[in-house]
């Protein structure tokens, strides 16, 4: 039998290669894997690895399309894997597995799902026309969902307070006949644009819905002087349930799955303090604590974080955690309300405390176990609460009162904070990929020209990091979530605002457009394309709408002409934009491009496009 490792010919009865000691297997054991494996890219990686160029290894690994290949192998080989518990790998298969491991490590294939935008390509387009709410499915005609949204005429613009949509785009809640005097209207819900169900009258703006859209929590019959009213929840298919008679405006929370609600009851109109309750939908409310000031977060399990005992000297609070089955537990004192950051998927949380020296300290808590992340913090650049990875701002050691620009530190889970850049100006001047392995930042900022030097700090698969300058004279930049592409603006004309738009990827820069504005380009939601306005007319703010790969490769496609500079992009094959804007009424014609062919006309006389 031929050894798959060293090609030595063994006797048929041998179970182990007499030359290298590798266990021998039948040829058919690996036929499926070899048949479903492309060897060309792997061989290229092997050759590059022999040359020892780390950057070329990383780029080659990024280009290997192995995800579908792994799935095919797993499906085709499932029965054979069950039959053979331990099967040796040939040198080729071992190399593939190593390449997969390196590629996964480098690109962060298993990205945190909360950092991956929801693909909205197939969502209905929701808009307001003639004071009513409409939805236009990707295929089909527009549907009118509501009568007049505002009781006070068409001039109302606070739709973000009166209309809310579920994360999956299938459920939309809205107030009809909204009065700007009482801040209330009639609450309706629509599912998939096919139904319209009345929930209640006299509902106040600022209601809360669960992420999945199945539950809404709202105040009704509010006293405008005290902002206290009756609190209800409504769950799909049921009836409104009264859960509090005297709850304060926007002191209520609903969990992402819509199965738990937290709220303050019997609120003192002068102090704003109340009794904290948690209720599982379909059950009775359970009292948690008294004298509570602020509710922070409610998990799907009904765990509630909240603040109480405000210190009037420092304007800080005590931070607590509790649930219907667990007594209140104080996590920390001296917590500042405005700097509490939570994970969407767990009970992990970060918060800032102020100590006796009036310094700000950054803390992390997993459940009830707090730890100090960094002392004497001055700001944040990027946050990943779930994975305990942070880009933080802190003044350098020995800084005096004349030092105004902090250093940037990276703090990863289980590791000490490391200073990676100096003299940054604002939080907008740094961004990180979801795995924190690629960081773009701008320093050496000139306030006169409002430009700086753009850097890329890239961590290799071996843990070492390389910092390089991409460009100088940069006015602004935007990066994809995976960090593979950054768009940046240079050559800004201070008089006209015109500038050059550039794309940087894999060490190369390409000019995308030489005549655009900072506000006239967008990365598509999936990061694969750049949608931008070229040939912009400074008087009408209209031009030609283009789409091009975010790497700058290939030719830009002209989508439409005379397009107003306000537009949206859900994917690399989608653009929603307006034309023929009436300068007096603000009404416009709305179009959608689907990646090919002539754009579709959505509607005319549209006042607002929502949720884009």
């Amino acid at each position: 039998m031929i050894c798959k490792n060293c090609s030595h010919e063994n006797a048929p009865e041998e179970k182990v290669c007499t030359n290298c000691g590798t266990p021998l297997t039948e040829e058919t054991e690996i036929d499926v894997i070899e048949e479903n494996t492309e060897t060309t890219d792997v061989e290229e990686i092997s050759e590059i690895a022999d040359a020892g160029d780390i950057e070329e290894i990383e780029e080659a690994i990024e280009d290997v399309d192995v995800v579908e290949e792994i799935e095919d192998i797993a499906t085709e080989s499932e029965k054979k894997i069950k039959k053979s518990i331990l099967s040796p790998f040939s040198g080729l298969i071992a190399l593939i597995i190593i390449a997969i491991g390196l590629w996964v490590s480098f690109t962060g294939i298993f990205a945190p799902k909360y950092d991956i935008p929801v693909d909205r390509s197939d969502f209905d387009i929701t808009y307001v026309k003639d004071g009513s709410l409409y939805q236009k499915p990707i295929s089909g005609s527009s549907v009118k969902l509501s009568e007049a949204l505002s009781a006070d005429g068409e001039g109302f613009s606070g739709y973000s307070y009166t209309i809310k949509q579920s994360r999956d785009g299938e459920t939309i809640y809205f107030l009809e006949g909204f009065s700007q005097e009482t801040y209330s209207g009639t609450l309706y819900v629509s599912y998939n644009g096919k139904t319209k169900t009345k929930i209640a009258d006299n509902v106040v703006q600022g209601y809360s819905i669960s992420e999945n859209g199945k539950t809404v929590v709202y105040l009704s019959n509010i006293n405008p002087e005290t902002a206290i009213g009756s609190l209800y929840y409504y769950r799909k298919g049921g009836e409104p349930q009264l859960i509090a008679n005297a709850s304060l405006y926007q002191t209520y929370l609903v969990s992402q799955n819509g199965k738990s609600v937290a709220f303050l009851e019997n609120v003192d109109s002068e102090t704003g303090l109340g009794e904290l309750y948690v209720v599982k939908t379909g059950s009775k409310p359970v009292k948690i604590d008294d004298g509570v000031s602020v509710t922070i977060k409610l998990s799907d399990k009904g765990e509630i974080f909240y603040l109480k005992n405000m210190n009037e000297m420092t304007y800080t609070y005590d931070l607590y955690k509790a649930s219907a089955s667990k007594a209140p537990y104080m996590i920390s004192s001296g917590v500042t309300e405005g700097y509490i950051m939570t994970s969407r998927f767990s009970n992990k949380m970060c918060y800032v405390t102020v100590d006796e020296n009036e310094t700000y300290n950054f803390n992390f808590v997993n459940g009830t176990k707090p730890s100090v992340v960094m002392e004497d913090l001055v700001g944040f650049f990027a946050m990943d609460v779930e994975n305990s990875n942070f880009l933080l701002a802190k003044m350098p050691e020995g800084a005096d009162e004349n030092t105004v620009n902090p250093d940037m530190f990276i703090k990863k889970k289980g590791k000490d904070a490391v200073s990676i850049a100096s003299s940054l100006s604002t939080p907008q001047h740094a961004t990180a990929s979801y795995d924190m392995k690629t960081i773009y930042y701008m320093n050496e900022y000139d306030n006169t020209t409002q430009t700086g030097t753009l850097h890329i700090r890239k961590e290799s698969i071996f843990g070492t990091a390389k910092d390089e300058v991409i460009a100088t004279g940069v006015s602004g930049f935007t990066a994809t979530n995976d960090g593979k592409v950054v768009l940046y603006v240079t050559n800004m004309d201070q008089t006209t605002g015109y500038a050059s738009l550039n794309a940087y990827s894999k060490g190369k820069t390409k000019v995308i457009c030489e005549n655009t504005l900072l506000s006239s380009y967008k990365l598509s939601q999936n990061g694969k394309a750049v949608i931008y306005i070229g040939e912009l007319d400074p008087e009408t703010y209209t031009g030609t709408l283009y789409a091009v790969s975010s790497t700058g490769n290939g030719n830009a496609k002209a989508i439409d002409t005379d397009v107003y500079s306000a537009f949206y992009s859900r994917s690399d094959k989608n653009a929603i934009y307006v034309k023929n804007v009436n300068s007096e009424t603000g009404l416009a014609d709305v179009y959608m491009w689907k990646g090919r062919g002539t754009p579709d006309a959505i509607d005319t006389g549209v006042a607002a496009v929502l949720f884009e």
Side-chain angles (χ1 to χ4, degrees), residues 118-135:
V118 173
D119 185 357
R120 304 183 64 250
S121 301
D122 295 330
F123 284 18
D124 295 356
I125 298 175
T126 306
Y127 60 96
V128 176
K129 176 182 177 178
D130 298 330
S132 297
L133 187 66
Y134 287 77
Q135 280 191 320

Side-chain angles (χ1 to χ4, degrees), residues 44-58 462:
E44 290 179 2
I45 294 172
S46 179
E47 293 174 2
I48 297 170
D50 291 338
D53 193 320
I54 293 176
E55 289 189 0
E56 289 191 22
I57 294 173
E58 293 169 350
F462 305 104

Side-chain angles (χ1 to χ4, degrees), residues 55-56 58-59 62-63 106 438 440 454-458 466-471 483-486 488 502-511 550-553:
E55 289 189 0
E56 289 191 22
E58 293 169 350
E59 291 184 7
E62 288 180 6
D63 293 334
F106 180 74
T438 303
Y440 296 98
L454 180 62
H455 296 250
I456 178 174
R457 180 189 186 272
K458 191 172 184 180
K466 189 175 183 179
D467 192 306
E468 295 181 332
V469 171
I470 296 175
K484 291 183 179 180
V485 179
V486 64
Y488 64 94
N502 312 272
Y504 174 89
S505 177
K506 295 184 178 180
K508 298 178 181 179
T509 291
K510 293 189 177 181
V511 178
S550 57
T551 62
N553 293 325

Side-chain angles (χ1 to χ4, degrees), residues 578-582 585-590 603-607:
V578 299
K579 298 180 64 172
N580 306 320
V581 179
N582 186 312
T585 64
L587 303 181
D589 301 338
V590 178
D603 211 335
T604 60
V606 175

Side-chain angles (χ1 to χ4, degrees), residues 11 35 61 90 129 139 461 485 535 544 546 577 580 587 612:
E35 288 172 3
I61 291 172
S90 68
K129 176 182 177 178
S139 299
I461 55 179
V485 179
E535 298 89 51
T544 301
Y546 291 92
Y577 60 94
N580 306 320
L587 303 181
E612 300 300 334

Side-chain angles (χ1 to χ4, degrees), residues 312-351:
E312 295 184 356
M313 297 293 292
T314 61
Y315 294 100
T316 61
Y317 299 83
D318 295 338
L319 174 63
Y320 281 80
K321 178 189 174 184
S323 70
S325 59
K326 295 181 180 180
Y329 176 89
M330 192 181 85
I331 296 172
S332 176
S333 60
V335 176
T336 55
E337 179 185 353
Y339 296 98
I340 300 174
M341 295 136 285
T342 65
S343 166
R344 285 182 53 239
F345 294 93
S346 71
N347 57 6
K348 296 176 183 177
M349 173 186 290
C350 292
Y351 58 93

Side-chain angles (χ1 to χ4, degrees), residues 183-252:
Y183 300 102
S184 62
T186 301
L187 180 62
Y188 289 87
V189 62
S190 175
Y191 303 104
N192 292 314
K194 299 177 181 178
T195 62
K196 176 185 175 182
T197 302
K198 179 180 176 179
I199 298 175
D201 292 313
N202 302 315
V203 174
V204 181
Q205 67 174 23
Y207 53 88
S208 296
I209 71 171
S210 59
E211 188 175 271
N212 60 14
K214 292 183 178 180
T215 304
V216 59
V217 182
Y218 61 92
L219 271 181
S220 183
N221 302 315
I222 193 172
N223 183 329
E225 295 183 359
T226 62
I228 293 176
S230 300
L231 188 68
Y232 294 79
Y233 75 78
Y234 169 85
R235 192 161 171 82
K236 184 179 180 180
E239 296 292 331
Q241 301 295 314
L242 176 66
I243 52 177
N245 290 307
S247 189
L248 183 65
Y249 178 68
Q250 288 195 322
T251 57
Y252 33 87

